[in-house]
Amino acid sequence: MIDRRSFLTASAAASAAGMLAACAKKNPAKSAGSQTGSKQITLGFSQVGSESGWRAANTQSVKQAAAAAGIALKFSDAQQKQENQISAIRSYIAQKVDVISFSPVVVTGWDTVLKEAKAANIPVILTDRSVETSDPSLYVTLVGSDFEIEGERAAHLLEKVLAGHKGPVKIAQLEGTTGAAPAIERAKGFATIMHASHPEWKIIASQTGDFTRAGGKQVMAAFLQAHADIDVLFSHNDDMAIGAIQSIQAAGKTPGTDIKIVSVDGVHDGFVAMSKGQINAIVECNPLLGPQLMDAVKVVHAGKGSTLPRWIKTKESDYTADQAAAALPSRKY
Ligand code: GYE
């Protein structure tokens, strides 16, 4: 396991939350939750959907952390549709929740609804995915991973997987949801390293599989029909890689051997496939964002949002197939 980053930002958030806890001790009426009889914080959370193992773990983390923090959670699943997320956010505004959080399915198209939240004086915390906006005051902070770095890490893992390989490398890419931050940025990070250091690598096919197993399976089958000579699959998540493995096997090839596979997430089933040698390497993307989110919610609700960093990043690692079996029992998602 290689620890890539240890972020000061997360500890800044933790210490801000710590300060708050200290204030709460002095002034018990201000501390959260039912035990003290003070008003409970209500958080409206709009989740992207249920597209992947990552998302299932993220949803569970948010629900568990809200319960542990004594925060009342209103939760809705947008089934990967932006219009559903916008309706959910509008309904949270109408219900006058204290804080809104959401994981935006795509990066664009949020300004109008975010302005509505601002006009209603409801602070917004982004989780997992970012938005593009001309007005940075429309959200307080983002709790989530650096997807561009994840793309770079994937390219560096591929260098290891291909060690000793000579000659051209033909790569197929399964992209995440079109327009989603992790799809855009993982592709960008990977391409940066490829263009800087690997003139012998070439992406010969690239298409979205929408972060789902079914999407990965279907798109990989089409890639295999069109290209007999794919050397590598770079998949933006484990679920699409797992779907693709089925199509590779159906085409009479051995995943992990005939076609090397690098993916992102590190969910349980990804580790199982890696321990069988079907996936060669995985960039971990940590979905357990609930505790950091609830800390940030408390800080924001106490009117101290300006003490938080704009981006609260997550600590993550990289894994190769030889580490998979040993790591599997201790995986938390
Ligand atoms: O990698 C994928 C999920 O936004 C980081 O969304 C998340 C991505 C994750 O569907 O599995």
Side-chain angles (χ1 to χ4, degrees), residues 23 25 31 107 127 161 169 193-194 212 224-225 266 283 302 312 314 319 323 325-326 330:
C23 297
K25 265 189 210 139
S31 66
V107 288
T127 52
V161 168
V169 178
I193 303 301
M194 178 174 80
T212 65
L224 288 161
Q225 287 241 313
V283 172
I312 300 169
T314 317
Y319 294 88
Q323 301 161 315
S330 59

Side-chain angles (χ1 to χ4, degrees), residues 4-200:
R4 285 277 170 183
R5 297 198 145 192
S6 164
F7 290 101
L8 284 173
T9 45
S11 54
S15 66
M19 267 160 45
L20 243 130
C23 297
K25 265 189 210 139
K26 278 186 215 142
N27 181 2
K30 279 248 157 113
S31 66
S34 39
Q35 311 98 309
T36 59
S38 63
K39 192 183 164 286
Q40 202 182 16
I41 302 173
T42 300
L43 170 67
F45 185 88
S46 167
Q47 181 59 289
V48 172
S50 316
E51 72 282 4
S52 65
W54 191 100
R55 192 63 56 195
N58 178 250
T59 291
Q60 202 190 9
S61 172
V62 168
K63 288 183 175 171
Q64 281 175 353
I71 290 173
L73 179 69
K74 292 182 187 287
F75 181 93
S76 60
D77 175 336
Q79 296 176 330
Q80 288 184 283
K81 293 202 175 70
Q82 183 170 34
E83 63 266 33
N84 292 348
Q85 286 201 294
I86 291 174
S87 312
I89 294 167
R90 290 209 165 112
S91 108
Y92 295 145
I93 295 170
Q95 292 172 62
K96 299 188 165 50
V97 300
D98 297 306
V99 180
I100 291 173
S101 181
F102 72 114
S103 177
V105 59
V106 291
V107 288
T108 53
W110 301 102
D111 277 18
T112 305
V113 73
L114 289 177
K115 279 181 190 152
E116 289 167 20
K118 190 178 178 188
N121 257 324
I122 302 176
V124 173
I125 300 176
L126 303 179
T127 52
D128 163 28
R129 300 182 182 178
S130 55
V131 298
E132 269 171 33
T133 173
S134 50
D135 180 355
S137 77
L138 293 179
Y139 68 89
V140 185
T141 182
L142 161 68
V143 179
S145 304
D146 188 328
F147 302 132
E148 190 171 341
I149 297 277
E150 288 177 352
E152 294 181 9
R153 287 163 54 199
H156 290 309
L157 281 175
L158 182 58
E159 290 167 345
K160 285 194 186 173
V161 168
L162 292 175
H165 175 96
K166 299 255 180 311
V169 178
K170 292 185 176 151
I171 302 171
Q173 176 171 240
L174 276 169
E175 302 163 26
T177 303
T178 305
I184 297 167
E185 291 162 22
R186 286 173 185 163
K188 187 173 169 203
F190 186 89
T192 301
I193 303 301
M194 178 174 80
H195 292 136
S197 318
H198 297 288
E200 77 284 14

